[in-house]
Amino acid sequence: VLGANDGIISISSLMIGIASAAGDQGDILLSGIAGLVAGAMSMAAGEYVSVCSQSDLEEADLKREAWELAEMPEAEIQELTNIYIERGVEPKLAREVSIQMMEKDALGTHAREELGISEITKARPIQAAFASAASFSFGGIIPVLTVLMLKPNTFVVGTSVLSLILLGVLGAVGARIGKAHPFKPSLRIMFWGAIAMGFTALIGKLLGTQLI
């Protein structure tokens, strides 16, 4: 949802800015396609680097945890016991559970309980990169397509209205996923989307007038 919102705001604002600078349909379409490709690649690269850094930290934490388990097994048992005690388990039972869990998979147990690393939450750079690029493209392709469906003199207004409606819908979807009330998130993303589109339209109008 966040990536799609970013795609809608970024590409629609870019194209509206070009349209406001008196660009023709070809210029507007070219700017949209270039922005879509550049934005998707930027999102993918940024997400890949970020998640790779997270993955490196996870690997370093797991190596350190493996060393501690080999060198200080009793301390690690007590550490796990304390975690279960803090969650409400009776101390004696907490120690018994810790010992049994560590006998089965010591590193996996500590990774999950102490470090918060599991198979579900494990960093996956390639997957994250593709997901970011895909979500940005999903949102960004919509304003690109509108230039083919709207007349040049209605593009700015039509794209702005359509983009704001879509932002409101996605804001509501995101709120529902997070089990929050949809009104405020939708209104917030629509407000800032309108600010972005309005600002780029103003810049395009001013610079377009000066350059022409």
Side-chain angles (χ1 to χ4, degrees):
V1 171
L2 294 176
N5 282 338
D6 193 10
I8 292 172
I9 294 175
S10 299
I11 304 305
S12 62
S13 297
L14 173 62
M15 297 177 72
I16 288 170
I18 298 297
S20 299
D24 59 25
Q25 188 179 38
D27 293 333
I28 299 169
L29 180 59
L30 179 60
S31 69
I33 294 173
L36 182 62
V37 173
M41 293 303 295
S42 176
M43 290 284 287
E47 192 71 11
Y48 180 80
V49 171
S50 175
V51 179
C52 274
S53 297
Q54 179 185 343
S55 180
D56 291 340
L57 290 174
E58 289 180 355
E59 289 182 10
D61 286 339
L62 289 174
K63 288 181 180 179
R64 183 176 63 251
E65 196 65 34
W67 180 86
E68 291 175 352
L69 286 167
E71 299 297 326
M72 303 178 293
E74 182 58 35
E76 290 300 295
I77 292 175
Q78 187 58 48
E79 189 173 37
L80 189 60
T81 300
N82 293 337
I83 291 174
Y84 290 138
I85 291 174
E86 290 177 359
R87 295 178 182 175
V89 181
E90 189 270 332
K92 183 178 179 180
L93 178 59
R95 182 173 177 83
E96 292 176 358
V97 170
S98 299
I99 292 173
Q100 291 182 29
M101 294 285 286
M102 289 179 63
E103 285 177 349
K104 182 177 181 180
D105 182 9
L107 182 59
T109 300
H110 276 268
R112 182 176 60 254
E113 304 292 351
E114 182 183 345
L115 303 176
I117 301 173
S118 66
E119 190 60 32
I120 295 176
T121 62
K122 188 177 180 181
R124 295 178 175 85
I126 298 294
Q127 180 180 338
F130 274 109
S132 293
S135 61
F136 183 92
S137 300
F138 173 77
I141 195 64
I142 296 171
V144 172
L145 294 177
T146 59
V147 75
L148 302 175
M149 297 183 291
L150 298 175
K151 295 180 180 180
N153 61 337
T154 62
F155 173 77
V156 172
V157 174
T159 298
S160 299
V161 172
L162 177 61
S163 296
L164 289 176
I165 291 173
L166 290 173
L167 287 172
V169 171
L170 287 174
V173 170
R176 285 297 185 185
I177 293 173
K179 301 188 183 304
H181 195 279
F183 179 73
K184 284 185 177 180
S186 296
L187 187 62
R188 183 166 53 240
I189 190 63
M190 290 173 72
F191 171 78
W192 287 108
I195 292 293
M197 286 180 271
F199 187 73
T200 52
L202 176 61
I203 295 298
K205 188 70 175 178
L206 293 175
L207 292 180
T209 300
Q210 293 175 8
L211 292 174
I212 292 173

